[in-house]
Amino acid sequence: MTASPDNSNNQNGSPNNTNETNQDGKVYTLNVTRGYDNDGFKGDGDTLGAVMKPPRELTDEEASQQGKFKLSRKEKWRILKNVTIISTAFMIQFTAFQGTANLQSSINAKDGLGTVSLSAIYAALVVSCIFIPTFLIKRLTAKWTLCLSMLCYAPYIGAQFYPKFYTLVPAGVLLGIGAAPMWASKASYLTQVAGVYAKLTDQSVDGIIVRFFGFFFLAWQTAELWGNLISSLVLSNPHGAHGESSSNATIETYDSCGANFCVMNLNNNDNLARPDDKEIFEISGIYLACIVLAVIIIALFVDPLSRYGEKQRRNSVVELTGIQLLSATAYQLKKPYQQLLIPITIWIGMEQAFIGADFTQAYVSCALGIPSVGYVMICFGVVNALCSLLFGSVMKYIGRIPIIALGAGIHLALCTWLLLWRPHPSNPILFFVASGLWGVGDAVWQTQINGLYGTLFRRNKEAAFSNYRLWESSGFVIAYAYSTHLCAKMKLYVMLSVLVLGSLMYVIVEILHTRKVRRQKEKERRAALDEAKNRAAEPEETDDEKDDIDDDIIVTHL
């Protein structure tokens, strides 16, 4: 065997190729400047023996051109930071709003100004939910929509310095207009970063979304505690609710509280007198500072959603315009399930309005005095937050029906008890028991009915939750609208009627849904037995929309 250099390719004196001639006269050319396949190697049938060149990593410009974005796995800590900051900002924001809203029926009781302003908020919210969020988010992006929307709360807090119909009601309308895009942009931000986080950590997207929203609402619900604590600490008790001076008027004063309370009897009870303006101004100043602080936190410390593929998602997802959403919402009303769920959804708004306005005025302020409102509502907020977490975990073990039965039973018993109970400051523990139990019932409705909408209307979630917001807000508006015209007893009768009607229709929904599921399972079982072997498998049709975020993220290993 001889070896000779290939002179045609060896002009610099260092051979690149070698020609080998075997006994058969065949010549093999070997390139020694790069890798080559060994023809004498016999592999095991796998691809481990193949020499593969690693794929080239895309540059930032190439990734952007393909509609993708590059992230390091360390980005997950930045995502957790953003979720924490948004949750903290909302907690600070609603510390101000919840504290102010719970006092409206008491400190602005004259001519029903407080409840009228609250009614204006939720009436504006109904319209805003349909037309504003998509328009604003497209033009300002999620982060700056959050900032602008949160600023809309400031005029309402500022109007407390000069509460008149021409200041408080327009400020309430502005708040309602800003509330819808604020909640929509928050949901959009958390959902998007949850998908990115799931990709970075190789976890289920649904599980991460639930975890992020659970953490957010835990922080948000604690705002009830902080807002009421601030108002209770600032307000003194100058009205003598527990003093000896009121002992002579005890029978006359406290007999008009509770179910017998009527707004026209405000002047007969010193406990319902408006606190000193200095104290109200101090509370409003603190709350106004909270609003500004929340906006600054979002603006300075939250990363823009474009960092996590906001532009790519916006280009790939077809969003409904206001008119399209209005049409879809109206079309949703044709569905039997939606029609049957309207009363229970209205009830959710009514019961929240009752505990925040009527209970605080007719029971707490009337018997204990306005400074006690905050402490009683703290009990409501804490129990509500804890039960929301509890019911979310327990549902997977016992199902939805027992939990909703518990909520309906608690509220039926509470409404009946409130009709019979005559509140008196000598037994203050009962006020906390009532607010705590109401918090248990509210946690049931907030967690389970939302989940029920998501289960029943998987293909039309946007229109379904638009209906949910529409009818819940309608419940708020109805309760605040008749608040100044009906006595507490009549309000409780109305609420009992709505609760009973809503519960019965909910039972019908569960029966129909159970029958439908059984029919579907039976149909699938028969189809599997009769046709599975005779025809090719068809692609499974699912209700849930799948996000293509997995294809849009390039994880870099640094």
Side-chain angles (χ1 to χ4, degrees):
M1 182 185 301
T2 60
S4 62
D6 187 353
N7 294 328
S8 63
N9 294 325
N10 185 18
Q11 299 177 359
N12 297 327
S14 58
N16 290 329
N17 296 321
T18 301
N19 294 333
E20 285 192 15
T21 305
N22 61 7
Q23 296 176 355
D24 298 330
K26 294 182 180 180
V27 178
Y28 298 94
T29 301
L30 305 180
N31 192 323
V32 297
T33 60
R34 56 182 175 85
Y36 58 91
D37 293 334
N38 185 357
D39 293 336
F41 173 76
K42 293 184 179 181
D44 297 328
D46 54 18
T47 60
L48 297 178
V51 180
M52 301 295 292
K53 185 178 180 180
R56 182 177 64 85
E57 189 173 289
L58 295 178
T59 64
D60 292 340
E61 293 183 0
E62 292 173 336
S64 178
Q65 292 174 357
Q66 296 180 19
K68 301 183 179 183
F69 53 97
K70 299 174 64 176
L71 292 174
S72 167
R73 288 196 180 274
K74 292 183 179 180
E75 190 70 24
K76 65 181 182 181
W77 300 110
R78 195 173 188 121
I79 292 174
L80 294 177
K81 180 264 297 183
N82 289 323
V83 173
T84 302
I85 290 175
I86 289 178
S87 302
T88 303
F90 267 75
M91 180 191 70
I92 297 172
Q93 172 96 353
F94 279 84
T95 291
F97 176 68
Q98 296 284 19
T100 301
N102 288 337
L103 292 174
Q104 285 308 294
S105 63
S106 299
I107 65 175
N108 293 320
K110 185 177 180 181
D111 297 327
L113 173 59
T115 52
V116 170
S117 68
L118 293 173
S119 180
I121 290 175
Y122 290 98
L125 180 62
V126 172
V127 179
S128 178
C129 282
I130 297 175
F131 295 103
I132 304 298
T134 303
F135 173 83
L136 207 58
I137 293 174
K138 278 185 177 180
R139 281 153 182 80
L140 298 182
T141 71
K143 174 182 175 177
W144 298 111
T145 298
L146 265 179
C147 293
L148 180 63
S149 301
M150 293 171 80
L151 275 177
C152 292
Y153 282 67
Y156 187 76
I157 306 298
Q160 305 301 320
F161 290 96
Y162 191 71
K164 301 291 182 181
F165 275 95
Y166 55 83
T167 59
L168 210 54
V169 173
V173 172
L174 179 62
L175 191 156
I177 292 174
M182 181 191 70
W183 285 104
S185 57
K186 179 272 306 177
S188 177
Y189 195 103
L190 291 185
T191 303
Q192 179 74 3
V193 298
V196 177
Y197 187 89
K199 171 66 176 178
L200 294 173
T201 57
D202 297 324
Q203 299 184 55
S204 167
V205 176
D206 292 341
I208 297 299
I209 290 176
V210 170
R211 190 183 307 173
F212 281 6
F213 274 86
F215 178 79
F216 169 83
F217 280 107
L218 175 63
W220 175 74
Q221 286 176 326
T222 60
E224 188 82 40
L225 189 158
W226 309 119
N228 290 306
L229 183 61
I230 290 172
S231 65
S232 297
L233 292 176
V234 173
L235 288 174
S236 59
N237 189 11
H239 311 302
H242 302 282
E244 295 180 359
S245 59
S246 62
S247 59
N248 295 331
T250 296
I251 296 177
E252 179 183 353
T253 299
Y254 301 125
D255 277 353
S256 63
C257 296
N260 295 327
F261 179 84
C262 297
V263 176
M264 58 282 300
N265 297 330
L266 287 176
N267 297 328
N268 299 332
N269 191 333
D270 291 338
N271 287 341
L272 296 171
R274 178 181 166 89
D276 186 68
D277 284 345
K278 182 180 179 181
E279 294 176 336
I280 294 178
F281 293 166
E282 184 178 352
I283 293 174
S284 300
I286 295 173
Y287 288 160
L288 196 58
C290 289
I291 299 293
V292 175
L293 177 60
V295 174
I296 292 175
I297 289 175
I298 294 290
L300 295 183
F301 301 109
V302 172
D303 294 318
L305 193 56
S306 57
R307 181 184 182 92
Y308 304 108
E310 182 179 26
K311 294 180 180 179
Q312 291 85 344
R313 179 182 178 87
R314 194 184 305 163
N315 293 334
S316 61
V317 176
V318 178
E319 296 179 340
L320 298 179
T321 64
I323 300 299
Q324 289 173 329
L325 181 57
L326 179 62
S327 176
T329 302
Y331 181 78
Q332 178 76 10
L333 289 174
K334 296 181 179 180
K335 300 182 178 181
Y337 285 168
Q338 181 63 70
Q339 295 171 359
L340 291 170
L341 288 175
I342 287 176
I344 200 66
T345 310
I346 292 177
W347 156 258
I348 295 174
M350 292 178 68
E351 60 91 4
Q352 291 179 78
F354 179 85
I355 190 68
D358 297 316
F359 178 77
T360 55
Q361 184 183 36
Y363 291 83
V364 184
S365 296
C366 185
L368 299 180
I370 293 176
S372 299
V373 170
Y375 293 118
V376 174
M377 292 304 292
I378 285 174
C379 180
F380 168 81
V382 171
V383 173
N384 190 292
L386 294 177
C387 288
S388 295
L389 291 176
L390 176 63
F391 294 147
S393 302
V394 170
M395 178 188 166
K396 59 185 178 182
Y397 299 108
I398 64 175
R400 178 176 57 246
I401 297 177
I403 297 177
I404 291 184
L406 173 66
I410 288 176
H411 269 137
L412 280 170
L414 272 176
C415 289
T416 305
W417 178 46
L418 291 176
L419 281 169
L420 303 175
W421 178 40
R422 296 295 174 263
H424 194 276
S426 62
N427 213 347
I429 189 66
L430 294 179
F431 296 88
F432 293 91
V433 171
S435 66
L437 288 176
W438 203 278
V440 175
D442 181 68
V444 170
W445 306 120
Q446 294 290 347
T447 57
Q448 304 306 311
I449 300 301
N450 269 286
L452 180 62
Y453 268 78
T455 300
L456 295 179
F457 309 113
R458 290 186 177 182
R459 296 190 182 186
N460 303 284
K461 287 182 179 179
E462 193 169 14
F465 282 105
S466 178
N467 264 278
Y468 178 87
R469 292 190 298 267
L470 170 65
W471 296 111
E472 183 191 32
S473 298
S474 299
F476 276 103
V477 173
I478 292 170
Y480 288 137
Y482 67 54
S483 180
T484 57
H485 302 287
L486 299 179
C487 294
K489 181 180 295 184
M490 186 57 63
K491 295 174 187 176
L492 288 169
Y493 284 135
V494 173
M495 292 183 63
L496 276 171
S497 302
V498 176
L499 175 58
V500 171
L501 177 63
S503 299
L504 291 176
M505 290 193 170
Y506 161 74
V507 171
I508 296 174
V509 169
E510 288 288 2
I511 293 174
L512 294 177
H513 183 60
T514 301
R515 290 178 178 175
K516 180 180 178 181
V517 171
R518 287 177 180 173
R519 289 196 303 267
Q520 289 177 341
K521 289 183 177 179
E522 181 65 20
K523 184 178 179 181
E524 291 173 359
R525 187 183 68 83
R526 291 178 180 177
L529 293 175
D530 299 339
E531 302 179 9
K533 296 180 180 180
N534 300 328
R535 62 189 179 95
E538 298 179 357
E540 181 182 0
E541 181 181 354
T542 60
D543 290 331
D544 296 322
E545 296 180 1
K546 301 298 182 183
D547 196 354
D548 294 331
I549 197 167
D550 283 1
D551 299 328
D552 296 337
I553 304 175
I554 302 170
V555 181
T556 60
H557 304 271
L558 302 179

